Amino acid sequence: QVQLVESGGGLVESGGSLRLSCVTSGFTFKNYGILWHRQTPGQGREFVAEVTTSGNTDYADFVKGRFTISRDDAKKTVYLQMNSLKPEDTGVYICAMNRERGSGPRDSWGRGIQVTVSS
């Protein structure tokens, strides 16, 4: 079955870095864009970043210049490198898949991973 499993979260000081991973299985990875969202106490669920099947990327304004999303099709894994972290980046980070071509499930979500940035 489809699985998206996040890892790499944790507690970090303001200004620090973390690298999140989203390891996937159960679908044709190369046909899907992968997104990161986050759930924060103040803002609810919000879009963070996306990488398409062609490798194009898009970012929310509040992470531009600090976060980098990338994908490794051979490993069926997407990464989110987070630098210059701020306390307001605290939240649960969730990866999701979005079908761009071919057949299969339209979308699915992981369970999320906690990121806490201390001031």
Side-chain angles (χ1 to χ4, degrees):
Q1 72 275 23
V2 172
Q3 286 191 315
L4 298 95
V5 180
E6 302 93 341
S7 63
L11 174 64
V12 64
E13 292 185 350
S14 181
S17 297
L18 284 174
R19 187 194 195 204
L20 304 184
S21 298
C22 175
V23 178
T24 74
S25 61
F27 62 99
T28 306
F29 184 80
K30 64 180 181 180
N31 290 344
Y32 286 77
I34 305 294
L35 302 87
W36 284 96
H37 285 72
R38 70 186 186 189
Q39 187 89 27
T40 62
Q43 300 297 324
R45 183 168 291 190
E46 54 189 357
F47 167 79
V48 175
E50 177 183 14
V51 59
T52 68
T53 56
S54 59
N56 292 325
T57 57
D58 188 27
Y59 298 92
D61 286 344
F62 52 79
V63 303
K64 283 181 180 176
R66 301 189 297 125
F67 290 12
T68 303
I69 189 171
S70 61
R71 64 188 291 155
D72 185 332
D73 283 10
K75 294 183 178 180
K76 300 182 180 181
T77 300
V78 170
Y79 305 97
L80 186 68
Q81 178 67 44
M82 307 188 296
N83 299 329
S84 302
L85 282 161
K86 306 174 182 180
E88 52 263 43
D89 292 320
T90 294
V92 176
Y93 284 70
I94 307 160
C95 70
M97 59 187 238
N98 178 54
R99 192 181 75 225
E100 293 186 11
R101 59 183 182 229
S103 61
R106 178 177 179 178
D107 57 32
S108 187
W109 296 73
R111 291 188 175 186
I113 189 84
Q114 178 69 42
V115 169
T116 303
V117 184
S118 64
S119 57

